[in-house]
Amino acid sequence: MPILDQLQKDLVAAMKARAEARLSAIRMIKSALQKTLVDSSTPGVPLTDAAEQAVLKILVKQRIDAAEMFRKGGREESALKEEAEKLIIESYLPAPASEAEIQAAVEEA
């Protein structure tokens, strides 16, 4: 299922649950993906999984950097908010490979 479709379902669920933090993060993710779709060289063509994941990874990096800067500025509450958003974004990324999976792939190659 494309990430945008999953985001739409999660958006509705977050609205019904009145989960403001999750709702805000999902809206941010959805708008970033839609902006990338509009800005792409072939508008109207859906984003590939790799392109969607690249956008999500950029958003994760932005949250990490923002949390670090907030901590340097003494704003722990804002840093925690950024980290919570990072966790929500990461939930849409595939799980990283385990050490055993990496080792098996190396041996197979």
Side-chain angles (χ1 to χ4, degrees):
M1 170 184 296
I3 293 176
L4 281 172
D5 293 344
Q6 183 63 44
L7 284 169
Q8 186 59 39
K9 288 182 181 180
D10 292 348
L11 184 74
V12 171
M15 284 181 183
K16 288 180 181 178
R18 299 191 189 279
E20 294 299 321
R22 184 162 180 78
L23 182 62
S24 173
I26 291 172
R27 283 181 173 153
M28 181 261 312
I29 296 166
K30 189 174 177 186
S31 69
L33 288 171
Q34 288 177 331
K35 180 181 182 316
T36 303
L37 179 63
V38 170
D39 291 347
S40 70
S41 59
T42 54
V45 176
L47 293 174
T48 63
D49 287 343
E52 289 176 338
Q53 290 177 14
V55 171
L56 292 177
K57 287 177 183 177
I58 290 169
L59 293 174
V60 167
K61 178 154 180 18
Q62 288 174 345
R63 297 300 159 274
I64 292 169
D65 293 344
E68 181 181 319
M69 296 307 285
F70 280 131
R71 283 210 169 82
K72 285 182 182 176
R75 298 181 58 194
E76 185 65 27
E77 184 177 310
S78 296
L80 292 174
K81 179 181 177 278
E82 293 293 329
E83 288 175 348
E85 285 182 357
K86 178 182 86 84
L87 292 175
I88 293 170
I89 296 166
E90 286 176 337
S91 70
Y92 293 100
L93 286 169
S98 69
E99 192 67 35
E101 292 171 334
I102 293 171
Q103 186 63 32
V106 168
E107 290 174 5
E108 183 180 309

